[in-house]
Amino acid sequence: MGYFESRVPVDIEKYDNIIDRLKFLQKLDFKNVILEPINSIEKLPKKLIEKIRKSIDLNVYFRINLKPKNIAELKQMIKKYNDFSHILSVESENKEIQIYCARDTRIDVVSFSYPKITKTLTPGVLSLSKQYNSFIEFSFAPIFNENKYIQSKNIRIIYSALRMTLVKNANYFISGNFPSLSDYRSPRVLISICQTLLDMSLTNAKLALKDNPSKLIEKLNKKIDPNIIEDGVKIIK
């Protein structure tokens, strides 16, 4: 299926900028891109999605990221996404929210993309995410901090969280989540970063950038397939 850039922040109202960003990622040799609107929206416009997908020879997917302050707010938010046909992720340093998200089948990704949140990851959340087949997300963006002290600190935080994730054998991936287009790197460079800065094997680096994001899309497709009643049970016509 090719390599993924699994989190690309975009202004959903700026079509030309979205296409420019996708063309740039295509030149970097990505085959799959997951766009995340930075706008506060509940639904993604179908016509725009179709227009974007027809405009470029890439597999383009979409996600919405929720940032609830507490469980009550999360429960109110999540009601709107019972039949959501795109990737739904949640980002919070609240451990109660993380546990809730790891076991809620409507939520695909529990995101730990920022150091402040990454530090809160626990073995319990990893075990639940594995049990309920949700995905854990980390991001490269903190590693690209120009302040060398902060960069080194962020690398240690991600390194520690990744070690714990690998021990628990949880589903994980690493996205870019870069605010600036100039920060994006090719899959080959990102694999090198995984190996040199995060001490990951080539196999684990490929899991983070290709195989596990592919599994996430496969899970999404099953979730929106009307013929699938539950995991492992499908209506054959």
Side-chain angles (χ1 to χ4, degrees):
M1 202 173 179
Y3 286 93
F4 278 74
E5 177 42 77
S6 300
R7 190 177 188 181
V8 181
V10 293
D11 186 332
I12 206 70
E13 296 177 357
K14 295 181 178 179
Y15 171 79
D16 290 340
N17 287 351
I18 293 172
I19 297 302
D20 287 344
R21 187 158 288 211
L22 288 171
K23 286 180 178 178
F24 183 76
L25 291 167
Q26 187 177 39
K27 287 179 181 178
L28 290 177
D29 205 27
F30 285 101
K31 304 300 181 187
N32 310 278
V33 177
I34 303 176
L35 300 178
E36 179 184 286
I38 57 175
N39 319 62
S40 296
I41 57 173
E42 293 176 9
K43 293 184 178 180
L44 291 159
K46 290 183 179 180
K47 288 184 178 179
L48 178 61
I49 289 172
E50 291 173 4
K51 185 179 179 182
I52 290 170
R53 285 174 170 166
K54 288 178 180 178
S55 299
I56 193 160
D57 187 23
L58 276 175
N59 296 315
V60 182
Y61 307 97
F62 296 82
R63 59 183 281 178
I64 284 182
N65 188 51
L66 306 180
K67 299 180 180 180
K69 297 184 181 71
N70 51 56
I71 286 288
E73 186 177 48
L74 172 62
K75 288 180 178 179
Q76 282 299 114
M77 286 179 169
I78 208 71
K79 287 178 182 178
K80 302 169 185 176
Y81 296 97
N82 288 331
D83 299 312
F84 192 56
S85 58
H86 304 284
I87 297 163
L88 185 63
S89 66
V90 175
E91 199 165 60
S92 174
E93 59 186 291
N94 182 315
K95 293 181 181 179
E96 187 181 5
I97 289 175
Q98 293 169 11
I99 291 169
Y100 185 96
C101 292
R103 56 160 59 115
D104 191 314
T105 55
R106 291 169 294 182
I107 298 166
D108 306 296
V109 177
V110 189
S111 183
F112 294 84
S113 292
Y114 298 95
K116 187 177 180 181
I117 300 176
T118 309
K119 289 192 294 185
T120 66
L121 180 62
T122 62
V125 169
L126 290 170
S127 295
L128 284 171
S129 72
K130 182 180 178 182
Q131 181 181 346
Y132 289 92
N133 197 30
S134 56
F135 287 75
I136 301 295
E137 176 187 28
F138 304 107
S139 289
F140 287 110
I143 294 176
F144 282 60
N145 195 298
E146 293 182 359
N147 183 308
K148 297 301 179 184
Y149 171 77
I150 296 176
Q151 181 189 60
S152 178
K153 183 179 178 181
N154 290 345
I155 290 171
R156 290 196 300 271
I157 291 170
I158 296 171
Y159 174 89
S160 177
L162 271 168
R163 296 280 80 70
M164 195 193 312
T165 303
L166 292 172
V167 167
K168 288 292 184 180
N169 197 28
N171 292 323
Y172 69 97
F173 63 92
I174 308 178
S175 61
N177 195 29
F178 296 117
S180 172
L181 198 61
S182 61
D183 287 330
Y184 286 94
R185 299 293 186 271
S186 70
R188 182 176 295 181
V189 172
L190 295 178
I191 284 175
S192 178
I193 290 172
C194 286
Q195 291 180 294
T196 56
L197 297 183
L198 300 176
D199 194 28
M200 296 174 70
S201 68
L202 178 60
T203 298
N204 287 334
K206 287 183 175 180
L207 280 173
L209 298 172
K210 182 171 69 173
D211 298 340
N212 283 341
S214 294
K215 288 181 182 179
L216 172 60
I217 298 302
E218 182 181 347
K219 178 191 173 187
L220 177 67
N221 290 335
K222 287 180 179 178
K223 186 169 71 171
I224 62 178
D225 187 337
N227 294 319
I228 295 180
I229 301 171
E230 59 183 69
D231 194 23
V233 181
K234 183 175 182 178
I235 298 173
I236 306 296
K237 294 184 179 181

